[in-house]
Amino acid sequence: MSRMSEELPAYAERVLEVAERIPPGRVMTYGDVAEWLGEGGPRQVGRVMALYGGAVPWWRVVRADGVPLPGSERRALEHYRTEGTPLRETPSGEPRLAMRRARWDGRDETDGGDEAHT
């Protein structure tokens, strides 16, 4: 077992690798990441992101409802605006992710192909 895997659980490594692959301006939900990996679920992905996500583009792994991460809304919105991530406003004027346009399905966007999952 490598030193890296002793410090970081293997599942966490895989979740973080997916987060790093999400292109700027796009997002995946916690459930999307779990489905893409073929293991765990939204709660497990959320736990990994809460514990270890600070070293990766954490703002690209989101809740399915498009609400920015509670407590980090301002920082996340800054990233979304910088990257050109599609946003919408709620009737009350609150910014939300425009999930239909922002969601990434994990395929390489240059060729449309589906790479092998990690």
Side-chain angles (χ1 to χ4, degrees):
M1 182 184 299
S2 74
R3 180 152 177 79
M4 175 66 170
S5 60
E6 288 178 53
E7 295 173 5
L8 190 65
Y11 182 71
E13 285 184 38
R14 290 190 295 277
V15 168
L16 298 177
E17 286 171 4
V18 173
E20 288 180 324
R21 293 181 59 141
I22 302 169
R26 304 301 297 275
V27 299
M28 289 180 93
T29 68
Y30 298 116
D32 291 341
V33 172
E35 184 177 330
W36 199 84
L37 288 172
E39 63 180 310
R43 290 178 188 255
Q44 290 82 7
V45 171
R47 183 75 176 146
V48 168
M49 293 304 294
L51 292 174
Y52 309 109
V56 299
W58 54 267
W59 59 91
R60 297 182 191 152
V61 181
V62 301
R63 295 171 28 164
D65 62 5
V67 174
L69 184 66
S72 298
E73 298 94 342
R74 185 172 303 169
R75 287 181 28 226
L77 286 169
E78 288 173 14
H79 287 292
Y80 299 143
R81 289 182 175 123
T82 299
E83 293 183 355
T85 308
L87 298 170
R88 65 178 180 84
E89 276 192 19
T90 65
S92 63
E94 306 252 348
R96 296 286 183 269
L97 289 160
M99 292 301 291
R100 286 189 190 137
R101 294 180 303 160
R103 204 168 193 170
W104 186 58
D105 63 7
R107 288 187 281 183
D108 182 351
E109 293 184 348
T110 59
D111 66 7
D114 191 12
E115 297 180 10
H117 297 180
T118 57

